[in-house]
Amino acid sequence: MATSFQSIPIIDISPLLAKCDDPKMAQDPGVSQVVKQLDQACSEAGFFYVKGHGIPDSMLNEVKELMHKFFDLPYEEKLKIKMTAASGYRGYQRIGENITKGIPDMHEAIDCYKEVKPGMYGSLGKAMEGCNLWPLDPPKFKELMEEYISLCTDLSRNILRGIALALGGSPYEFEGDRAGDAFWVTRIIGYPGKSLINGTAKPENDIGCGAHTDYGLLTLVNQDDDITALQVRNRSGEWISAPPVPGTFVCNIGDMLKIYSNGLYESTLHQVINSSSKYRVCVAYFYETNFDTAVEPLEICTQKTGGIKKFERAVYGEHLVSKVLTNFG
């Protein structure tokens, strides 16, 4: 359960990654230390930074530089990969097109999803069928993003091995039928700076992305190094800033992990307000369960919380599709 935290912890996960393929990883003292930190972060804040994650700084920066180049293009150029229902809700959306709780968000974005082939999930996956729409300009966008997404997928799987241990399970709780064929979502997001009118900052609406929780298991956010815009709400209702820490990912847990943990871990409300005059980009990677998995509290977590399941089963794909259709439909 989220507490009245005032800052977000930084966790060096390199000891976990060094042993993540060892079935006896739980016995390693370095892994145990990381697991303890993950448990505290997930229990108290639902947010944490990770360093020592093994993805080179050069790649984190190259991805962000490429996003700035794309968002700098003329509007007509960006519209060449415009999101439509026919593309499975993949592609570019203009500022104000994404809706959070009925209010247009002041950002533009490219939305990408793991490919869903026709008929793969029957009627459940129909709305999400399609391939990602990658721009031809800037060059090598598709190649770089596919490599980056692959690295984020591996990293997320390994962090979740640590979180599974933190919950008291085996490292592989979130594999197999739960997330052995994990779905993923990537949002490449651009937040305009405050508009200057007669020298005075006067935004039409300063909410870059309204208060929300994430849908899946784990989110990795790669944000610009020089602008603080992400805010996380603690139990007292205060908004706590998550300033950029170069070379790290900001991580947070989503609704599906909250259900698996039977509420031991909370998916925390967060929002984005870019008060800077500079344009800000971030790349949010969402690691999810298998698309058609029915998520319900883990037995180990139910035992820790009085033996009663606090949440009903939720099918991840239904949860995602309902959110997507609400946001863009």
Side-chain angles (χ1 to χ4, degrees), residues 195-202:
S195 51
L196 290 168
I197 301 169
N198 298 327
T200 309
K202 217 178 154 184

Side-chain angles (χ1 to χ4, degrees), residues 29 107 110 137 174 324:
H107 71 245
I110 302 175
D137 186 18
F174 299 115
V324 167

Side-chain angles (χ1 to χ4, degrees), residues 49 67 116 181 193 217 289 294:
Y49 297 87
M67 302 314 130
V116 177
D181 181 27
L217 291 174
T289 66

Side-chain angles (χ1 to χ4, degrees), residues 17-324:
L17 299 187
K19 296 285 184 179
C20 63
D21 292 325
D22 182 349
K24 297 180 180 175
M25 61 191 287
Q27 297 166 22
D28 181 84
V31 170
S32 297
Q33 190 57 36
V34 174
V35 167
K36 185 178 174 185
Q37 291 175 284
L38 286 170
D39 183 50
Q40 184 172 357
C42 292
S43 301
E44 295 182 358
F47 267 77
F48 52 94
Y49 297 87
V50 294
K51 65 178 185 176
H53 49 69
I55 299 179
D57 285 5
S58 57
M59 172 162 265
L60 298 186
N61 293 330
E62 188 181 358
V63 164
K64 289 181 287 194
E65 285 163 16
L66 204 66
M67 302 314 130
H68 274 286
K69 285 179 184 172
F70 173 79
F71 288 124
D72 279 347
L73 292 172
Y75 182 55
E76 297 71 28
E77 203 54 40
K78 293 183 275 196
L79 279 181
K80 288 180 179 176
I81 58 162
K82 177 178 169 56
M83 175 197 289
T84 63
S87 67
Y89 296 92
R90 294 160 169 78
Y92 171 77
Q93 54 180 253
R94 66 184 187 277
I95 293 169
E97 200 168 348
N98 189 78
I99 306 291
T100 301
K101 295 183 179 169
I103 299 170
D105 290 319
M106 291 299 102
H107 71 245
E108 54 186 331
I110 302 175
D111 279 12
C112 322
Y113 299 92
K114 188 174 183 176
E115 183 179 346
V116 177
K117 295 189 167 112
M120 187 183 277
Y121 300 113
S123 58
L124 174 65
K126 186 75 180 161
M128 307 307 299
E129 290 176 359
C131 301
N132 290 314
L133 305 179
W134 301 112
L136 297 176
D137 186 18
K140 297 186 178 174
F141 194 108
K142 177 179 187 282
E143 292 80 1
L144 180 66
M145 283 309 301
E146 287 182 341
E147 182 186 358
Y148 177 80
I149 287 166
S150 175
L151 290 171
C152 286
T153 301
D154 291 343
L155 175 59
S156 299
R157 183 187 306 113
N158 290 329
I159 294 172
L160 276 161
R161 288 181 177 174
I163 290 175
L165 290 172
L167 287 169
S170 91
Y172 312 114
E173 293 292 341
F174 299 115
E175 293 171 39
D177 289 344
R178 293 186 180 121
D181 181 27
F183 196 72
W184 56 260
V185 179
T186 300
R187 301 202 73 225
I188 299 159
I189 312 168
Y191 299 93
K194 279 194 171 181
S195 51
L196 290 168
I197 301 169
N198 298 327
T200 309
K202 217 178 154 184
E204 156 191 3
N205 164 13
D206 65 355
I207 306 290
C209 186
H212 65 284
T213 58
D214 293 342
Y215 317 152
L217 291 174
L218 184 72
T219 306
L220 307 181
V221 175
N222 174 15
Q223 57 179 342
D224 268 341
D225 288 339
D226 55 348
I227 301 167
T228 298
L230 177 60
Q231 301 176 348
V232 183
R233 198 170 84 171
N234 68 15
R235 196 164 60 187
S236 299
E238 300 169 292
W239 288 103
I240 307 300
S241 288
V245 178
T248 69
F249 285 100
V250 184
C251 299
N252 62 281
I253 62 179
D255 299 337
M256 297 299 114
L257 189 53
K258 174 182 177 175
I259 295 173
Y260 275 133
S261 75
N262 207 29
L264 288 169
Y265 296 165
E266 188 75 39
S267 49
T268 309
L269 277 170
H270 50 287
Q271 65 183 12
V272 177
I273 298 179
N274 184 10
S275 300
S276 163
S277 59
K278 292 161 88 173
Y279 193 97
R280 172 186 182 264
V281 303
C282 88
V283 184
Y285 169 88
F286 305 88
Y287 186 85
E288 320 287 64
T289 66
N290 298 351
F291 190 82
D292 53 359
T293 292
V295 178
E296 57 186 327
L298 297 173
E299 188 57 37
I300 44 168
C301 299
T302 306
Q303 289 170 6
K304 286 184 178 182
T305 48
I308 298 165
K309 291 184 177 180
K310 298 180 181 177
F311 303 96
E312 294 181 3
R313 295 164 90 241
V315 176
Y316 166 73
E318 288 177 2
H319 192 61
L320 175 69
V321 169
S322 70
K323 296 278 189 181
V324 167

